[in-house]
Amino acid sequence: MKKIDVCLTPELLHLYNIENSIVVVVDIFRATSCMTTAFAYGVEGIIPVATVEECNAFREKGYLAAAERNGITPEGFDFDNSPFSYMTDKVKDTTICVTTTNGTLAITKAKTAVKVMVGSFLNLGALTRYLTEQQYDVLVLCAGWKGKPNLEDTLFAGALIERLQEDFMVDDDSATMALRLYQNGKSDLLSFVSNSSHVRRLQRLGIQKDIAYCLQHDIFDVLPVLRGNTLVNM
Amino acid sequence: MKKIDVCLTPELLHLYNIENSIVVVVDIFRATSCMTTAFAYGVEGIIPVATVEECNAFREKGYLAAAERNGITPEGFDFDNSPFSYMTDKVKDTTICVTTTNGTLAITKAKTAVKVMVGSFLNLGALTRYLTEQQYDVLVLCAGWKGKPNLEDTLFAGALIERLQEDFMVDDDSATMALRLYQNGKSDLLSFVSNSSHVRRLQRLGIQKDIAYCLQHDIFDVLPVLRGNTLVNM
């Protein structure tokens, strides 16, 4: 039987064997929710890069570019890290370069996997259908916050496990914990996450609307996957 | 206000500043439950060491010695890793050298803290009373399993947070998750942990009795603390 595991932070990724797994990277607030939204609005490609400098270099070559550090957008970029900033015609058929505090690093670290995909509550249903049909194990890689686990990414892992548990074996305690937390919180995720450290950080930044948006399930039928250095919609 | 955090595995300890914290190391199945039991039965000191070889060297010097690797006791040691093996008069006033797969490494890694203490459900009440009276932040360091988080140590962290939450700030998502999991599972911890990977490993080894024992709350009034290289009962 196929197996689904959860790696609660990229700091622990070296403990997992991902050569025969599809890795689903998740950074709910807000990198992977933004990416899912961008593809739903017609973006052709997203290039995740590790540093603001690299991102700037792409921007100078004419790409649209999005950067975020500690929840804030450095000056001169085309998008902030709000999913609403991608809901515009100007993204259609473009390739965007993106760097964020946690999410893009997680994508880069997972490159040796069979496939690296991007997950969010927004495309949970599409992911579920796709992963069910594949022959590979799945590892959900939570981007976390500066190396530490976080609540919202763990809850997403639990949501994906809940959907996949009939077809996948749940063997790992991190996966068991994620599933339990999601089942415990899913009836009111917004209030469940309102105690998370990151939500409190975001609320200080006035981004309540983003938080509620990113917790919506199954609204986009997109499957972002890494091809070479670029995420595309499969 | 004082703060309580949780580090879900020693692999993440470098992300926490422990210089002004009391670190409570926990390895429920079974190292820290054994240590708590040993002190309750009159052990004077426990020397945690990293390797079976070091442990053997102490044994050859005349110490009682306990070793465990992957849930199993290598030949020639005085105790296995069952708490029941410490319930004997022969431990009274002795100093025992101990090495285990996860627990002793966690203790060694925490040495720069203000104090390193040993926690288990068995001495939860004693720990709670002690920590409430101190002026320091608390970090619960879960020993986990070979670098990965595990369910039972996380549940202990949640239990300690539940007891301390009036006097300590819970700021960290790992702590929030641990608290939620404990609150979700505490009415029947034995069935809650029966899905954990380590419990399934232990059940294959025939140690159901140990599991039920280690989940009992507040039965020993002991406070193991590291002094130099030796744990003593405060």
Side-chain angles (χ1 to χ4, degrees), chain A residues 90-108:
Chain A
K90 82 170 176 184
V91 301
K92 206 161 161 19
D93 303 325
T94 62
T95 292
I96 303 177
C97 183
V98 175
T99 186
T100 70
T101 312
N102 307 291
T104 52
L105 175 71
I107 292 169
T108 312

Side-chain angles (χ1 to χ4, degrees), chain A residues 8-9 11-12 14-16 146-152 154 170-174 176-177 180-181 184 192 195-197 200, chain B residues 8-9 11-12 14-16 146-152 154 170-174 176-177 180-181 184 192 195-197 200:
Chain A
L8 291 176
T9 134
E11 291 276 325
L12 298 177
H14 62 283
L15 300 169
Y16 294 81
K146 298 188 178 180
K148 295 182 186 176
N150 76 22
L151 184 57
E152 61 275 13
T154 307
V170 180
D171 187 39
D172 167 89
D173 275 11
S174 298
T176 302
M177 293 194 279
R180 292 283 193 161
L181 283 165
N184 186 221
F192 197 83
N195 278 321
S196 91
S197 58
R200 277 180 275 126
Chain B
L8 291 176
T9 135
E11 291 276 325
L12 299 177
H14 63 283
L15 299 170
Y16 294 82
K146 298 188 177 178
K148 295 182 186 177
N150 75 24
L151 184 57
E152 60 275 13
T154 308
V170 180
D171 187 39
D172 166 89
D173 276 11
S174 298
T176 303
M177 293 195 280
R180 291 283 193 159
L181 282 166
N184 186 221
F192 197 82
N195 278 322
S196 91
S197 58
R200 279 180 274 126

Side-chain angles (χ1 to χ4, degrees), chain A residues 24-173:
Chain A
V24 178
V25 176
V26 53
D27 183 1
I28 292 298
F29 300 138
R30 295 166 285 166
T32 62
S33 299
C34 284
M35 290 169 178
T36 305
T37 304
F39 282 114
Y41 279 79
V43 162
E44 191 172 304
I46 294 176
I47 304 170
V49 297
T51 66
V52 174
E53 292 65 36
E54 284 172 87
C55 201
N56 234 330
F58 272 96
R59 203 173 143 261
E60 280 161 12
K61 281 190 260 176
Y63 287 84
L64 293 172
E68 172 266 332
R69 280 299 175 275
N70 300 318
I72 291 165
T73 309
E75 215 151 309
F77 285 89
D78 301 292
F79 306 97
D80 58 26
N81 199 30
S82 166
F84 292 100
S85 73
Y86 294 88
M87 296 177 184
T88 156
D89 278 349
K90 82 170 176 184
V91 301
K92 206 161 161 19
D93 303 325
T94 62
T95 292
I96 303 177
C97 183
V98 175
T99 186
T100 70
T101 312
N102 307 291
T104 52
L105 175 71
I107 292 169
T108 312
K109 273 198 162 186
K111 279 189 175 170
T112 56
V114 172
K115 268 194 177 61
V116 180
M117 303 187 70
V118 156
S120 67
F121 288 109
L122 309 172
N123 71 335
L124 181 58
L127 265 177
T128 303
R129 287 187 295 279
Y130 178 78
L131 295 170
T132 303
E133 288 160 10
Q134 305 304 305
Q135 60 180 312
Y136 298 104
D137 292 340
V138 170
L139 180 72
V140 184
L141 174 56
C142 300
W145 183 260
K146 298 188 178 180
K148 295 182 186 176
N150 76 22
L151 184 57
E152 61 275 13
D153 296 347
T154 307
L155 286 168
F156 169 83
L160 188 60
I161 292 165
E162 188 181 69
R163 301 270 182 109
L164 292 176
Q165 62 184 333
E166 282 184 20
D167 296 297
F168 287 77
M169 197 168 67
V170 180
D171 187 39
D172 167 89
D173 275 11

